[in-house]
């Protein structure tokens, strides 16, 4: 049976990291002063659900706050890449047009999925209310014909 597996090169293994608590303490105490330059871990990936609907898989990806034009779907070989980009929005500026307060930040999301068991030319995509829904039709799996082997 084919399994749709997630590929994410940015994903870190959850191994013990003795510095994790110290980094978390620093983030909580000092905030994220370099977040503008290095990005936020919240923007590293978006959450997805995958369900087996019998003849197809249904992949639902949460992409709230994006416009359809900012979402890109690419299939290259056996890899489906979903990417989205968010532009910065400044909430408050002073009279010299300098930033006083910023809550919405720039970010780029990207996830990859193995689609080797999918009819890639039949994939359908719909984006509504911040959720991207992909219908991924399965390839028909054919069982090899059985035959008798001669013993030499």
């Amino acid at each position: 049976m084919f399994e749709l597996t997630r590929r994410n090169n940015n994903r870190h293994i959850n191994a013990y990291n003795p510095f994790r608590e110290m980094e978390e303490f620093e983030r909580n105490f000092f905030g994220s002063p370099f977040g503008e330059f290095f990005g936020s871990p919240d923007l590293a990936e978006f959450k997805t659900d995958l369900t087996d609907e019998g003849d197809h898989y249904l992949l639902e990806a949460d992409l709230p706050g994006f416009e359809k034009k900012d979402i890109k779907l690419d299939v290259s070989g056996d890899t489906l890449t979903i990417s989205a980009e968010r532009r910065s929005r400044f909430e408050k500026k002073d009279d010299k047009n300098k930033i006083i307060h910023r809550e919405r930040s720039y970010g780029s999301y990207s996830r990859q999925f193995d689609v080797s068991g999918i009819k890639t030319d039949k994939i359908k995509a719909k984006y509504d209310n911040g959720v991207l829904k992909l219908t991924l039709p399965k390839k028909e799996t054919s069982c090899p014909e059985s035959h008798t082997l001669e013993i030499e």
Side-chain angles (χ1 to χ4, degrees):
M1 178 177 171
F2 165 75
E3 288 187 26
L4 185 69
T5 57
R6 182 176 82 172
R7 293 182 186 176
N8 189 348
N9 297 335
N10 297 330
R11 190 82 171 158
H12 299 287
I13 298 173
N14 288 332
Y16 175 71
N17 179 354
F19 301 105
R20 185 179 301 138
E21 288 180 290
M22 186 54 134
E23 290 171 351
E24 186 175 328
F25 172 78
E26 287 179 23
R27 270 194 307 275
N28 290 335
F29 188 78
F30 296 109
S32 182
F34 302 110
E36 306 297 324
F37 301 104
F38 300 117
S40 165
D42 297 333
L43 294 176
E45 66 178 36
F46 47 89
K47 303 299 180 196
T48 60
D49 291 334
L50 181 66
T51 54
D52 188 342
E53 301 291 329
D55 63 339
H56 68 278
Y57 293 102
L58 177 63
L59 188 144
E60 296 176 292
D62 286 341
L63 293 167
F66 286 95
E67 294 182 30
K68 189 166 70 169
K69 66 180 175 78
D70 296 330
I71 301 170
K72 186 176 178 187
L73 304 173
D74 287 314
V75 177
S76 178
D78 289 337
T79 303
L80 166 68
T81 302
I82 303 172
S83 55
E85 194 170 333
R86 181 177 307 190
R87 305 280 181 222
S88 295
R89 294 188 182 144
F90 305 107
E91 294 298 319
K92 296 179 184 176
K93 296 181 182 181
D94 66 6
D95 58 346
K96 295 181 183 177
N97 210 23
K98 301 225 178 195
I99 302 168
I100 294 175
H101 181 76
R102 174 189 270 174
E103 289 187 355
R104 299 179 184 175
S105 61
Y106 167 84
S108 173
Y109 294 75
S110 182
R111 292 276 300 269
Q112 293 183 323
F113 299 89
D114 176 16
V115 290
S116 57
I118 302 297
K119 297 179 191 174
T120 56
D121 58 332
K122 302 287 185 193
I123 294 175
K124 292 185 181 179
K126 182 179 180 184
Y127 182 68
D128 189 33
N129 291 327
V131 179
L132 176 67
K133 293 183 181 183
L134 298 177
T135 303
L136 307 166
K138 297 178 183 179
K139 288 181 180 176
E140 288 84 22
T141 56
S142 60
C143 296
E145 295 179 17
S146 63
H147 58 278
T148 305
L149 299 173
E150 296 286 328
I151 301 174
E152 294 181 22

